[in-house]
Structures are given as structure tokens and as C-alpha cells.
């Protein structure tokens, strides 16, 4: 009940502050949470906007982390942000608040979900992502192709979202290998 009151407070404060017109839903955002990191992707908005993402402990409403960026769809059609915060116990309900504002319209989204830790051995910051095309596996970023090994289109693997020279690190059976960034898709939500 406390959470509903806090969310109501945010919405009422924004509307009566004059900072925003009646808010519109921000439906085209992808959010992936672990117990110590957040990944947010936003696409399909056709204007420049300031974008803010907050993650709160939904039980205590303690702010765990946030990110603020300017989104320019003309230079990059996909805004994706990842940030870390202090580890919370698995199962802790997390509240994600997403806000985009372009001086004319105000968009928001609220989501609540329990966090899940990454499986044992998966490095912090790696995300479960779709593989969008069949690709060979490389021993290092731009390194040699590992013989007789490949990831197949449609599979999901834990991948580091940051690219190194056109390659992303991928966690495979206790080891780190690399795949071409062009075959790494959006996070599994």
C-alpha cells in the first residue's frame, strides 16, 4: 500500500508542478534487472528527449541507482543504458521508474518485479540476449575463430552488452569467448 501512495505522490507532484502536461505511457522500453544492475533500452520515440531511469527497493523505497541521458534518435535509434547498484538479496521487489520529457510531452512507466541474480559464474553486467544470426565463436575480440564452435540464430546467451571492436564477450560453459556484435540482439525480457 505504501508503494501505491509513493507512486501516486510522484504523478500528482509532476502534474501540479507544471513540469509536465498529463503524462503518456512509455510503452516502448525494455527493462532487465538483476539484483545489482539495471539495463534499459528505449526505441521508437521520434524526438530528442531527456531520459531518466530510477531503480528503487519497492519495500523501503530506498533509491538504489539511476541514470540520466539525452536521447537523440537521429544519431542513434536505440538508447540503451546500463548501470550498477549495491547488491540486494534475491527476490527483493524492485520498482523501476522511467521518465522521458521533451519540453512538450511527458512520458513515464512504472514497473515492479522481483530481482533475480545471475546464474553462478556469469560475470556481473552480462545480460541474457538473443543471438540474431548464426556466428562463429572467437578466442578474443578480433581473435582467431574457434574451430567447430558456433552460436545459432534464435539462441539466448549471457553477453556483455559493451562491444570491443565489433565483438561482444559471451559467457559459455564457464569461459569467456567472443562473437560478432552484429549478431547480438536485444535482451530477453
Amino acid at each position: 500500500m505504501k508503494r501505491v501512495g509513493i507512486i501516486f505522490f510522484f504523478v500528482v507532484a509532476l502534474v501540479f508542478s507544471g513540469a509536465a502536461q498529463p503524462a503518456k505511457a512509455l510503452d516502448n522500453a525494455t527493462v532487465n534487472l538483476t539484483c545489482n544492475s539495471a539495463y534499459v533500452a528505449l526505441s521508437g520515440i521520434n524526438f530528442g528527449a531527456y531520459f531518466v531511469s530510477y531503480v528503487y527497493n519497492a519495500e523501503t523505497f530506498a533509491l538504489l541507482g539511476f541514470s540520466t541521458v539525452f536521447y537523440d534518435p537521429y544519431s542513434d535509434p536505440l538508447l540503451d543504458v546500463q548501470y550498477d547498484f549495491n547488491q540486494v538479496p534475491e527476490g527483493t521487489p524492485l520498482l523501476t521508474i522511467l521518465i522521458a520529457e521533451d519540453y512538450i510531452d511527458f512520458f513515464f512507466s512504472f514497473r515492479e518485479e522481483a530481482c533475480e541474480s545471475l546464474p553462478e559464474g556469469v560475470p556481473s553486467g552480462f545480460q541474457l540476449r538473443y543471438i540474431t544470426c548464426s556466428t562463429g565463436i572467437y578466442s578474443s575480440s578480433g581473435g582467431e575463430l574457434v574451430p567447430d564452435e558456433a552460436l545459432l540464430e534464435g539462441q539466448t546467451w549471457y553477453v556483455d552488452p559493451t562491444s570491443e571492436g565489433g565483438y561482444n564477450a559471451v559467457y559459455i560453459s564457464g569461459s569467456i569467448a567472443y562473437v560478432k556484435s552484429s549478431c547480438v540482439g536485444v535482451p530477453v525480457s
Side-chain angles (χ1 to χ4, degrees):
M1 190 64 170
K2 179 180 178 183
R3 286 173 275 187
V4 172
I6 292 170
I7 292 170
F8 179 74
F9 169 77
F10 266 113
V11 172
V12 169
L14 288 169
V15 170
F16 285 108
S17 71
Q21 299 298 318
K24 300 176 182 177
L26 187 60
D27 296 327
N28 49 346
T30 299
V31 178
N32 284 341
L33 295 172
T34 67
C35 294
N36 69 342
S37 69
Y39 171 81
V40 180
L42 178 68
S43 64
I45 289 184
N46 298 321
F47 55 81
Y50 285 97
F51 178 74
V52 184
S53 167
Y54 298 97
V55 176
Y56 290 90
N57 179 321
E59 293 176 332
T60 65
F61 209 64
L63 178 63
L64 299 174
F66 71 95
S67 175
T68 304
V69 295
F70 181 76
Y71 171 54
D72 180 6
Y74 304 108
S75 63
D76 189 356
L78 174 69
L79 168 95
D80 58 343
V81 177
Q82 177 164 341
Y83 52 96
D84 297 328
F85 47 84
N86 291 333
Q87 181 82 26
V88 295
E90 188 163 353
T92 300
L94 300 178
L95 175 64
T96 306
I97 300 173
L98 309 175
I99 301 169
E101 192 256 328
D102 72 346
Y103 303 108
I104 296 172
D105 287 316
F106 177 77
F107 299 85
F108 75 95
S109 174
F110 297 101
R111 298 170 191 215
E112 184 178 337
E113 61 188 273
C115 74
E116 296 178 9
S117 295
L118 291 172
E120 188 174 327
V122 176
S124 178
F126 276 50
Q127 302 166 352
L128 188 60
R129 291 207 172 200
Y130 289 104
I131 302 302
T132 59
C133 57
S134 296
T135 180
I137 298 173
Y138 297 83
S139 58
S140 63
S141 179
E144 294 186 25
L145 193 60
V146 177
D148 302 321
E149 297 293 331
L151 300 185
L152 303 177
E153 180 180 352
Q155 292 180 327
T156 57
W157 290 90
Y158 283 97
V159 177
D160 184 345
T162 57
S163 175
E164 293 180 29
Y167 294 84
N168 288 70
V170 62
Y171 179 79
I172 302 174
S173 302
S175 299
I176 301 296
Y178 291 83
V179 296
K180 291 183 179 181
S181 298
S182 59
C183 290
V184 175
V186 298
V188 177
S189 55

